[in-house]
mmCIF file of all heavy atoms in Angstrom:
data_model
loop_
_atom_site.group_PDB
_atom_site.id
_atom_site.type_symbol
_atom_site.label_atom_id
_atom_site.label_comp_id
_atom_site.label_asym_id
_atom_site.label_seq_id
_atom_site.Cartn_x
_atom_site.Cartn_y
_atom_site.Cartn_z
ATOM 1 N N ARG A 99 56.054 -23.029 34.405
ATOM 2 C CA ARG A 99 57.056 -23.967 34.254
ATOM 3 C C ARG A 99 58.428 -23.218 34.343
ATOM 4 O O ARG A 99 58.579 -22.301 33.641
ATOM 5 C CB ARG A 99 56.908 -24.691 32.833
ATOM 6 C CG ARG A 99 58.031 -25.690 32.550
ATOM 7 C CD ARG A 99 57.903 -26.421 31.273
ATOM 8 N NE ARG A 99 56.831 -27.402 31.357
ATOM 9 C CZ ARG A 99 56.529 -28.440 30.382
ATOM 10 N NH1 ARG A 99 57.454 -28.425 29.418
ATOM 11 N NH2 ARG A 99 55.619 -29.148 30.490
ATOM 12 N N HIS A 101 62.120 -24.139 33.516
ATOM 13 C CA HIS A 101 63.032 -25.071 32.927
ATOM 14 C C HIS A 101 63.973 -24.338 31.851
ATOM 15 O O HIS A 101 63.320 -23.465 31.158
ATOM 16 C CB HIS A 101 62.278 -26.209 32.367
ATOM 17 C CG HIS A 101 63.058 -27.506 31.967
ATOM 18 N ND1 HIS A 101 63.800 -27.567 30.838
ATOM 19 C CD2 HIS A 101 63.291 -28.635 32.655
ATOM 20 C CE1 HIS A 101 64.439 -28.722 30.808
ATOM 21 N NE2 HIS A 101 64.032 -29.385 31.899
ATOM 22 N N ASN A 103 64.742 -25.102 28.971
ATOM 23 C CA ASN A 103 64.170 -25.264 27.613
ATOM 24 C C ASN A 103 62.803 -24.664 27.296
ATOM 25 O O ASN A 103 62.272 -24.782 26.402
ATOM 26 C CB ASN A 103 64.207 -26.767 27.072
ATOM 27 C CG ASN A 103 63.153 -27.629 27.661
ATOM 28 O OD1 ASN A 103 62.354 -27.092 28.379
ATOM 29 N ND2 ASN A 103 63.149 -29.019 27.324
ATOM 30 N N LEU A 112 51.420 -25.573 25.402
ATOM 31 C CA LEU A 112 50.910 -26.095 26.595
ATOM 32 C C LEU A 112 49.591 -25.258 26.938
ATOM 33 O O LEU A 112 48.536 -25.805 27.487
ATOM 34 C CB LEU A 112 51.812 -25.857 27.780
ATOM 35 C CG LEU A 112 53.008 -26.741 27.875
ATOM 36 C CD1 LEU A 112 54.141 -26.345 28.690
ATOM 37 C CD2 LEU A 112 52.559 -28.135 28.361
ATOM 38 N N LYS A 119 41.706 -29.165 27.868
ATOM 39 C CA LYS A 119 41.798 -29.978 29.238
ATOM 40 C C LYS A 119 40.848 -29.382 30.201
ATOM 41 O O LYS A 119 40.076 -30.053 30.833
ATOM 42 C CB LYS A 119 43.253 -29.944 29.739
ATOM 43 C CG LYS A 119 43.461 -30.724 30.954
ATOM 44 C CD LYS A 119 44.871 -30.479 31.516
ATOM 45 C CE LYS A 119 45.941 -30.685 30.481
ATOM 46 N NZ LYS A 119 47.262 -30.772 30.971
ATOM 47 N N LYS A 131 49.023 -20.515 30.385
ATOM 48 C CA LYS A 131 50.263 -21.153 30.754
ATOM 49 C C LYS A 131 51.370 -20.145 30.847
ATOM 50 O O LYS A 131 51.195 -19.138 30.210
ATOM 51 C CB LYS A 131 50.647 -22.310 29.747
ATOM 52 C CG LYS A 131 51.647 -23.315 30.264
ATOM 53 C CD LYS A 131 50.895 -24.338 31.005
ATOM 54 C CE LYS A 131 51.808 -25.193 31.810
ATOM 55 N NZ LYS A 131 51.138 -26.367 32.401
ATOM 56 N N LYS A 139 67.612 -26.260 38.935
ATOM 57 C CA LYS A 139 68.548 -27.290 39.513
ATOM 58 C C LYS A 139 69.811 -26.535 40.052
ATOM 59 O O LYS A 139 70.281 -25.822 39.497
ATOM 60 C CB LYS A 139 68.828 -28.179 38.344
ATOM 61 C CG LYS A 139 67.822 -29.253 38.140
ATOM 62 C CD LYS A 139 68.374 -30.537 37.432
ATOM 63 C CE LYS A 139 67.210 -31.278 36.897
ATOM 64 N NZ LYS A 139 67.084 -31.255 35.543
ATOM 65 N N GLY A 170 51.385 -24.813 39.460
ATOM 66 C CA GLY A 170 52.744 -25.350 39.286
ATOM 67 C C GLY A 170 52.858 -26.177 38.057
ATOM 68 O O GLY A 170 51.806 -26.408 37.376
ATOM 69 N N ASP A 171 54.065 -26.569 37.631
ATOM 70 C CA ASP A 171 54.259 -27.441 36.521
ATOM 71 C C ASP A 171 55.761 -27.841 36.622
ATOM 72 O O ASP A 171 56.257 -27.887 37.782
ATOM 73 C CB ASP A 171 54.060 -26.746 35.166
ATOM 74 C CG ASP A 171 54.176 -27.692 34.000
ATOM 75 O OD1 ASP A 171 52.957 -28.348 33.774
ATOM 76 O OD2 ASP A 171 55.165 -27.707 33.233
ATOM 77 N N ILE A 172 56.451 -28.337 35.654
ATOM 78 C CA ILE A 172 57.802 -28.738 35.788
ATOM 79 C C ILE A 172 58.646 -27.524 36.516
ATOM 80 O O ILE A 172 58.596 -26.440 36.087
ATOM 81 C CB ILE A 172 58.482 -29.048 34.418
ATOM 82 C CG1 ILE A 172 57.764 -30.372 33.940
ATOM 83 C CG2 ILE A 172 59.994 -29.275 34.609
ATOM 84 C CD1 ILE A 172 58.257 -30.854 32.538
ATOM 85 N N GLY A 173 59.381 -27.980 37.485
ATOM 86 C CA GLY A 173 60.315 -27.040 38.228
ATOM 87 C C GLY A 173 59.508 -26.034 39.247
ATOM 88 O O GLY A 173 60.088 -25.262 39.814
ATOM 89 N N ARG A 210 45.759 -31.963 46.291
ATOM 90 C CA ARG A 210 46.230 -31.251 45.108
ATOM 91 C C ARG A 210 47.666 -31.796 44.602
ATOM 92 O O ARG A 210 47.822 -32.100 43.427
ATOM 93 C CB ARG A 210 46.444 -29.787 45.359
ATOM 94 C CG ARG A 210 47.040 -29.011 44.081
ATOM 95 C CD ARG A 210 46.260 -29.252 42.869
ATOM 96 N NE ARG A 210 46.790 -28.709 41.580
ATOM 97 C CZ ARG A 210 47.685 -29.388 40.874
ATOM 98 N NH1 ARG A 210 47.986 -30.682 41.082
ATOM 99 N NH2 ARG A 210 48.190 -28.962 39.672
ATOM 100 N N THR A 214 47.219 -34.999 39.998
ATOM 101 C CA THR A 214 47.533 -35.375 38.562
ATOM 102 C C THR A 214 47.817 -36.730 38.423
ATOM 103 O O THR A 214 47.196 -37.532 37.684
ATOM 104 C CB THR A 214 48.689 -34.449 38.014
ATOM 105 O OG1 THR A 214 48.283 -33.057 38.393
ATOM 106 C CG2 THR A 214 48.805 -34.756 36.577
ATOM 107 N N GLY A 242 59.666 -40.578 34.402
ATOM 108 C CA GLY A 242 59.852 -39.350 35.376
ATOM 109 C C GLY A 242 59.797 -39.896 36.773
ATOM 110 O O GLY A 242 59.636 -41.069 37.089
ATOM 111 N N SER A 243 60.105 -38.869 37.659
ATOM 112 C CA SER A 243 60.171 -39.194 39.130
ATOM 113 C C SER A 243 59.860 -37.801 39.757
ATOM 114 O O SER A 243 60.271 -37.528 40.906
ATOM 115 C CB SER A 243 61.352 -39.641 39.539
ATOM 116 O OG SER A 243 62.479 -38.928 38.994
ATOM 117 N N GLY A 244 59.015 -37.068 39.142
ATOM 118 C CA GLY A 244 58.595 -35.816 39.687
ATOM 119 C C GLY A 244 57.187 -35.879 40.193
ATOM 120 O O GLY A 244 56.611 -36.951 40.523
ATOM 121 N N ASN A 245 56.365 -34.819 40.333
ATOM 122 C CA ASN A 245 55.171 -34.773 40.933
ATOM 123 C C ASN A 245 54.203 -35.819 40.357
ATOM 124 O O ASN A 245 53.580 -36.581 40.992
ATOM 125 C CB ASN A 245 54.613 -33.340 40.970
ATOM 126 C CG ASN A 245 53.100 -33.387 41.482
ATOM 127 O OD1 ASN A 245 52.257 -33.450 40.706
ATOM 128 N ND2 ASN A 245 52.944 -33.295 42.768
ATOM 129 N N VAL A 246 54.112 -35.791 39.140
ATOM 130 C CA VAL A 246 53.104 -36.584 38.414
ATOM 131 C C VAL A 246 53.514 -38.115 38.484
ATOM 132 O O VAL A 246 52.581 -38.956 38.787
ATOM 133 C CB VAL A 246 52.890 -36.282 36.978
ATOM 134 C CG1 VAL A 246 51.890 -37.187 36.225
ATOM 135 C CG2 VAL A 246 52.539 -34.691 36.829
ATOM 136 N N ALA A 247 54.679 -38.410 38.285
ATOM 137 C CA ALA A 247 55.191 -39.792 38.227
ATOM 138 C C ALA A 247 55.035 -40.370 39.607
ATOM 139 O O ALA A 247 54.592 -41.541 39.822
ATOM 140 C CB ALA A 247 56.597 -39.879 37.724
ATOM 141 N N SER A 265 62.157 -42.699 36.054
ATOM 142 C CA SER A 265 63.356 -42.110 35.522
ATOM 143 C C SER A 265 63.483 -40.596 35.821
ATOM 144 O O SER A 265 62.685 -40.063 36.429
ATOM 145 C CB SER A 265 63.247 -42.215 33.891
ATOM 146 O OG SER A 265 62.049 -41.484 33.535
ATOM 147 N N ASP A 266 64.569 -40.084 35.329
ATOM 148 C CA ASP A 266 64.685 -38.549 35.359
ATOM 149 C C ASP A 266 65.454 -38.205 34.004
ATOM 150 O O ASP A 266 65.682 -39.204 33.146
ATOM 151 C CB ASP A 266 65.195 -38.107 36.622
ATOM 152 C CG ASP A 266 66.678 -38.446 36.897
ATOM 153 O OD1 ASP A 266 67.383 -38.976 35.964
ATOM 154 O OD2 ASP A 266 67.072 -38.218 38.054
ATOM 155 N N SER A 267 65.954 -37.012 33.925
ATOM 156 C CA SER A 267 66.585 -36.580 32.786
ATOM 157 C C SER A 267 67.979 -37.355 32.602
ATOM 158 O O SER A 267 68.532 -37.288 31.460
ATOM 159 C CB SER A 267 66.730 -35.133 32.627
ATOM 160 O OG SER A 267 67.387 -34.633 33.743
ATOM 161 N N GLY A 268 68.491 -37.906 33.685
ATOM 162 C CA GLY A 268 69.723 -38.583 33.638
ATOM 163 C C GLY A 268 69.560 -40.115 33.127
ATOM 164 O O GLY A 268 70.465 -40.710 32.504
ATOM 165 N N LYS A 289 63.506 -37.452 45.906
ATOM 166 C CA LYS A 289 63.181 -36.525 44.968
ATOM 167 C C LYS A 289 62.713 -35.293 45.522
ATOM 168 O O LYS A 289 62.761 -34.101 45.044
ATOM 169 C CB LYS A 289 62.157 -37.117 43.868
ATOM 170 C CG LYS A 289 62.944 -38.105 42.902
ATOM 171 C CD LYS A 289 63.834 -37.382 42.026
ATOM 172 C CE LYS A 289 64.613 -38.078 40.934
ATOM 173 N NZ LYS A 289 65.423 -37.129 40.131
ATOM 174 N N ARG A 295 69.256 -37.687 42.373
ATOM 175 C CA ARG A 295 69.054 -38.149 41.104
ATOM 176 C C ARG A 295 68.644 -39.572 41.109
ATOM 177 O O ARG A 295 68.937 -40.295 42.068
ATOM 178 C CB ARG A 295 70.486 -38.112 40.490
ATOM 179 C CG ARG A 295 71.239 -36.807 40.316
ATOM 180 C CD ARG A 295 70.276 -35.705 39.777
ATOM 181 N NE ARG A 295 69.978 -35.999 38.415
ATOM 182 C CZ ARG A 295 68.943 -35.439 37.777
ATOM 183 N NH1 ARG A 295 68.169 -34.672 38.484
ATOM 184 N NH2 ARG A 295 68.680 -35.780 36.502
ATOM 185 N N CYS A 324 55.283 -39.662 32.077
ATOM 186 C CA CYS A 324 54.995 -38.778 33.046
ATOM 187 C C CYS A 324 56.045 -37.736 33.256
ATOM 188 O O CYS A 324 56.163 -37.152 34.282
ATOM 189 C CB CYS A 324 54.664 -39.299 34.400
ATOM 190 S SG CYS A 324 53.294 -40.456 34.466
ATOM 191 N N ALA A 325 56.949 -37.641 32.307
ATOM 192 C CA ALA A 325 58.090 -36.634 32.435
ATOM 193 C C ALA A 325 57.943 -35.365 31.611
ATOM 194 O O ALA A 325 57.653 -34.324 32.260
ATOM 195 C CB ALA A 325 59.420 -37.341 32.116
ATOM 196 N N THR A 326 57.925 -35.493 30.237
ATOM 197 C CA THR A 326 57.980 -34.203 29.469
ATOM 198 C C THR A 326 57.615 -34.439 28.057
ATOM 199 O O THR A 326 57.256 -35.672 27.669
ATOM 200 C CB THR A 326 59.384 -33.582 29.515
ATOM 201 O OG1 THR A 326 59.417 -32.326 29.035
ATOM 202 C CG2 THR A 326 60.385 -34.469 28.786
ATOM 203 N N GLN A 327 57.404 -33.391 27.313
ATOM 204 C CA GLN A 327 56.908 -33.519 25.881
ATOM 205 C C GLN A 327 58.066 -34.322 25.065
ATOM 206 O O GLN A 327 59.172 -34.402 25.243
ATOM 207 C CB GLN A 327 56.694 -32.150 25.313
ATOM 208 C CG GLN A 327 57.859 -31.323 25.093
ATOM 209 C CD GLN A 327 58.084 -30.321 26.245
ATOM 210 O OE1 GLN A 327 57.505 -30.540 27.320
ATOM 211 N NE2 GLN A 327 59.004 -29.299 26.039
ATOM 212 N N GLY A 349 50.696 -39.047 31.317
ATOM 213 C CA GLY A 349 50.735 -38.288 32.540
ATOM 214 C C GLY A 349 51.176 -36.945 32.235
ATOM 215 O O GLY A 349 50.748 -35.873 32.732
ATOM 216 N N ALA A 350 52.195 -36.808 31.277
ATOM 217 C CA ALA A 350 52.749 -35.480 30.952
ATOM 218 C C ALA A 350 51.950 -34.874 29.839
ATOM 219 O O ALA A 350 51.036 -35.527 29.340
ATOM 220 C CB ALA A 350 54.205 -35.708 30.576
ATOM 221 N N ASN A 351 52.269 -33.796 29.352
ATOM 222 C CA ASN A 351 51.651 -32.997 28.245
ATOM 223 C C ASN A 351 52.499 -33.339 26.980
ATOM 224 O O ASN A 351 53.687 -33.159 26.975
ATOM 225 C CB ASN A 351 51.590 -31.513 28.468
ATOM 226 C CG ASN A 351 50.539 -31.098 29.652
ATOM 227 O OD1 ASN A 351 49.513 -31.657 29.449
ATOM 228 N ND2 ASN A 351 51.005 -30.337 30.491
ATOM 229 N N ASN A 376 45.576 -36.214 32.212
ATOM 230 C CA ASN A 376 46.247 -35.525 33.383
ATOM 231 C C ASN A 376 45.460 -34.319 33.720
ATOM 232 O O ASN A 376 46.007 -33.518 34.586
ATOM 233 C CB ASN A 376 47.734 -35.140 33.037
ATOM 234 C CG ASN A 376 47.831 -34.053 31.955
ATOM 235 O OD1 ASN A 376 46.964 -33.219 31.766
ATOM 236 N ND2 ASN A 376 48.917 -34.173 31.203
ATOM 237 N N GLY A 379 44.885 -32.816 37.951
ATOM 238 C CA GLY A 379 45.560 -31.681 38.559
ATOM 239 C C GLY A 379 44.914 -30.448 38.542
ATOM 240 O O GLY A 379 44.707 -29.778 39.516
HETATM 241 P P1 NDP B 501 58.490 -32.228 37.910
HETATM 242 O O1 NDP B 501 59.264 -31.044 37.787
HETATM 243 O O2 NDP B 501 57.862 -32.577 39.274
HETATM 244 O O3 NDP B 501 59.002 -33.610 37.226
HETATM 245 C C1 NDP B 501 59.401 -33.559 35.947
HETATM 246 C C2 NDP B 501 60.134 -35.004 35.715
HETATM 247 O O4 NDP B 501 60.372 -35.184 34.396
HETATM 248 C C3 NDP B 501 61.382 -35.108 36.508
HETATM 249 O O5 NDP B 501 61.599 -36.500 36.852
HETATM 250 C C4 NDP B 501 62.397 -34.729 35.454
HETATM 251 O O6 NDP B 501 63.692 -35.152 35.633
HETATM 252 C C5 NDP B 501 61.681 -35.309 34.196
HETATM 253 N N1 NDP B 501 62.230 -34.569 33.023
HETATM 254 C C6 NDP B 501 62.100 -33.210 32.765
HETATM 255 N N2 NDP B 501 62.639 -32.935 31.534
HETATM 256 C C7 NDP B 501 62.927 -34.105 31.019
HETATM 257 C C8 NDP B 501 63.710 -34.394 29.882
HETATM 258 N N3 NDP B 501 63.996 -33.503 28.956
HETATM 259 N N4 NDP B 501 64.117 -35.726 29.565
HETATM 260 C C9 NDP B 501 63.745 -36.604 30.563
HETATM 261 N N5 NDP B 501 63.072 -36.441 31.814
HETATM 262 C C10 NDP B 501 62.847 -35.168 31.976
HETATM 263 O O7 NDP B 501 57.184 -31.949 36.915
HETATM 264 P P2 NDP B 501 55.711 -32.528 36.949
HETATM 265 O O8 NDP B 501 55.730 -33.915 37.430
HETATM 266 O O9 NDP B 501 54.823 -31.547 37.590
HETATM 267 O O10 NDP B 501 55.274 -32.562 35.414
HETATM 268 C C11 NDP B 501 55.504 -33.627 34.508
HETATM 269 C C12 NDP B 501 54.811 -33.370 33.342
HETATM 270 O O11 NDP B 501 53.331 -33.608 33.632
HETATM 271 C C13 NDP B 501 54.861 -32.213 32.533
HETATM 272 O O12 NDP B 501 54.737 -32.565 31.124
HETATM 273 C C14 NDP B 501 53.709 -31.249 32.975
HETATM 274 O O13 NDP B 501 53.420 -30.309 32.059
HETATM 275 C C15 NDP B 501 52.644 -32.309 33.180
HETATM 276 N N6 NDP B 501 51.580 -32.032 34.065
HETATM 277 C C16 NDP B 501 51.814 -31.718 35.287
HETATM 278 C C17 NDP B 501 50.753 -31.328 36.265
HETATM 279 C C18 NDP B 501 50.951 -31.161 37.650
HETATM 280 O O14 NDP B 501 49.930 -31.006 38.399
HETATM 281 N N7 NDP B 501 52.233 -31.078 38.141
HETATM 282 C C19 NDP B 501 49.428 -31.386 35.745
HETATM 283 C C20 NDP B 501 49.225 -31.683 34.314
HETATM 284 C C21 NDP B 501 50.290 -31.980 33.502
HETATM 285 P P3 NDP B 501 64.904 -34.079 36.079
HETATM 286 O O15 NDP B 501 64.535 -33.845 37.454
HETATM 287 O O16 NDP B 501 66.157 -34.896 35.863
HETATM 288 O O17 NDP B 501 64.687 -32.828 35.310
#
Side-chain angles (χ1 to χ4, degrees):
R99 177 177 289 193
H101 195 279
N103 75 6
L112 289 164
K119 184 186 308 191
K131 199 82 191 185
K139 278 200 198 111
D171 191 75
I172 290 180
R210 174 59 189 93
T214 308
S243 50
N245 173 263
V246 180
S265 68
D266 64 17
S267 54
K289 284 292 179 179
R295 309 304 301 157
C324 295
T326 192
Q327 64 268 13
N351 286 311
N376 70 28

